[in-house]
Amino acid sequence: MRLEAIIPDFPANTTHGPINFYDFAGDSWVVLFSHPADFTPVCTTELGRMAVHLPEFEKRNVKLLALSCDKLETHTDWVNLLGSELPHKISAVDTPRARGKTPVVGGVNMLHKMIVDVMLCRVRRINNAFYFSNKDIKSYCQDIPGEFPYPIISDESRELAVKLDMLNEADRENPDTAMTVRALYVISPDKRLRLSMVYPTSTGRNVDELLRVIDSLQLHDRLKVIATPANWVPGDKVMILPTVTDEQIQELFPEGAVDSVSMPSGKCYVRTTTKY
């Protein structure tokens, strides 16, 4: 996938129901990102942190759309339905020692199910009470507000993974069994690819960096004559593009708003401003 390429429209089955990409995107920016597999540790942290930061994406008119080659049912179990059939909370008085017998719910030995759920990491003990987790991602990232907020595409056929170049080189010959890498695409409202990040399966992505580059892209769209330097964050100085003449600078910026930096070469190409 090359920068500025048009992302084609495509249908997809998601945890929020069937979508067509263009209808889903509308006039918004979209972060389309793939993860290798559900019920894996790094992916749980990534999708969770993206969900936690959803309000920040919404401030920037950005929608989130995840993708992996897992079944739709697996996605749903991971974010919504996984858990035991036991009550959500079992207090200390419900233990066999306290009651003198093993509690039974619906004919099921509660103690036995509790032990199984503890072994499967579906239960936590907090303040001497047991809480059963129905949502793995939300359980791990407990600061997610409300329900899991964005759709996850099920690409069992790998058709989208191949089309969108989300497989590593070794797996391109075996798309039927391949897992997607951590590909991430920032797509502008005109459906152009504006940013591409590809991480190996062993490395989780940094959501703060993603928000930073979206801020940079949107700032440049608003003010075409500037670019953001290394480690820039909103509020820092930006650079005036070398193609902008001194006369244009006088028209575009208030007097004294642009600083020129003297370079040993004598070339005047480093010009900065905070007036944007």
Side-chain angles (χ1 to χ4, degrees):
M1 298 290 291
R2 292 185 174 87
L3 295 183
E4 297 298 330
I6 297 290
I7 302 296
D9 194 14
F10 57 82
N13 290 321
T14 82
T15 50
H16 288 190
I19 66 166
N20 286 299
F21 177 66
Y22 281 12
D23 291 337
F24 169 81
D27 295 327
S28 299
W29 292 67
V30 176
V31 172
L32 172 61
F33 64 104
S34 60
H35 63 278
D38 300 345
F39 297 106
T40 55
V42 176
C43 298
T44 297
T45 65
E46 284 193 317
L47 272 75
R49 297 323 299 173
M50 295 286 267
V52 168
H53 284 82
L54 182 66
E56 291 299 319
F57 287 106
E58 290 177 336
K59 288 178 186 177
R60 295 159 172 82
N61 189 32
V62 177
K63 294 180 179 179
L64 301 178
L65 182 59
L67 178 151
S68 84
C69 299
D70 295 285
K71 295 180 179 180
L72 188 60
E73 293 80 2
T74 306
H75 287 336
T76 303
D77 286 347
W78 191 29
V79 300
N80 286 325
L81 301 178
L82 180 69
S84 74
E85 298 174 358
L86 296 175
H88 291 288
K89 178 179 177 181
I90 302 175
S91 65
V93 298
D94 287 324
T95 62
R97 177 178 294 180
R99 298 179 58 180
K101 61 180 180 179
T102 300
V104 174
V105 174
V108 178
N109 184 308
M110 186 180 291
L111 179 61
H112 174 73
K113 288 186 66 64
M114 182 188 297
I115 292 171
V116 171
D117 279 321
V118 169
M119 293 175 66
L120 293 177
C121 301
R122 294 177 184 168
V123 67
R124 294 185 178 191
R125 184 170 183 171
I126 304 173
N127 296 329
N128 206 33
F130 293 97
Y131 292 82
F132 287 82
S133 170
N134 283 336
K135 305 171 184 180
D136 276 22
I137 295 178
K138 191 170 172 60
S139 175
Y140 189 83
C141 299
Q142 296 187 353
D143 44 351
I144 297 174
E147 297 300 312
F148 190 81
Y150 58 86
I152 307 174
I153 293 173
S154 172
D155 184 31
E156 284 189 77
S157 68
R158 275 71 171 174
E159 181 179 348
L160 279 176
V162 172
K163 181 183 295 185
L164 298 174
D165 201 17
M166 291 176 163
L167 303 178
N168 66 30
E169 190 64 27
D171 286 333
R172 290 178 66 85
E173 301 300 323
N174 302 292
D176 292 340
T177 58
M179 293 192 303
T180 45
V181 295
R182 301 187 195 282
L184 184 148
Y185 302 139
V186 176
I187 303 162
S188 51
D190 60 0
K191 311 303 182 292
R192 292 186 181 276
L193 177 62
R194 299 293 300 279
L195 176 80
S196 173
M197 296 179 176
V198 182
Y199 286 63
T201 57
S202 58
T203 304
R205 289 162 283 209
N206 187 311
V207 181
D208 290 330
E209 170 63 4
L210 175 57
L211 290 168
R212 187 189 79 89
V213 295
I214 290 172
D215 285 336
S216 175
L217 290 169
Q218 294 183 345
L219 176 59
H220 177 73
D221 281 0
R222 181 170 61 83
L223 192 58
K224 297 287 188 183
V225 298
I226 61 93
T228 56
N231 296 335
W232 172 87
V233 293
D236 287 355
K237 291 180 179 180
V238 297
M239 319 296 281
I240 310 297
L241 294 178
T243 53
V244 181
T245 66
D246 290 339
E247 291 75 17
Q248 289 173 318
I249 285 179
Q250 292 176 7
E251 296 174 1
L252 293 169
F253 297 95
E255 184 177 355
V258 176
D259 295 323
S260 295
V261 180
S262 297
M263 303 297 283
S265 66
K267 297 180 183 295
C268 183
Y269 62 90
V270 179
R271 298 168 296 177
T272 66
T273 184
T274 57
K275 302 299 182 182
Y276 55 87

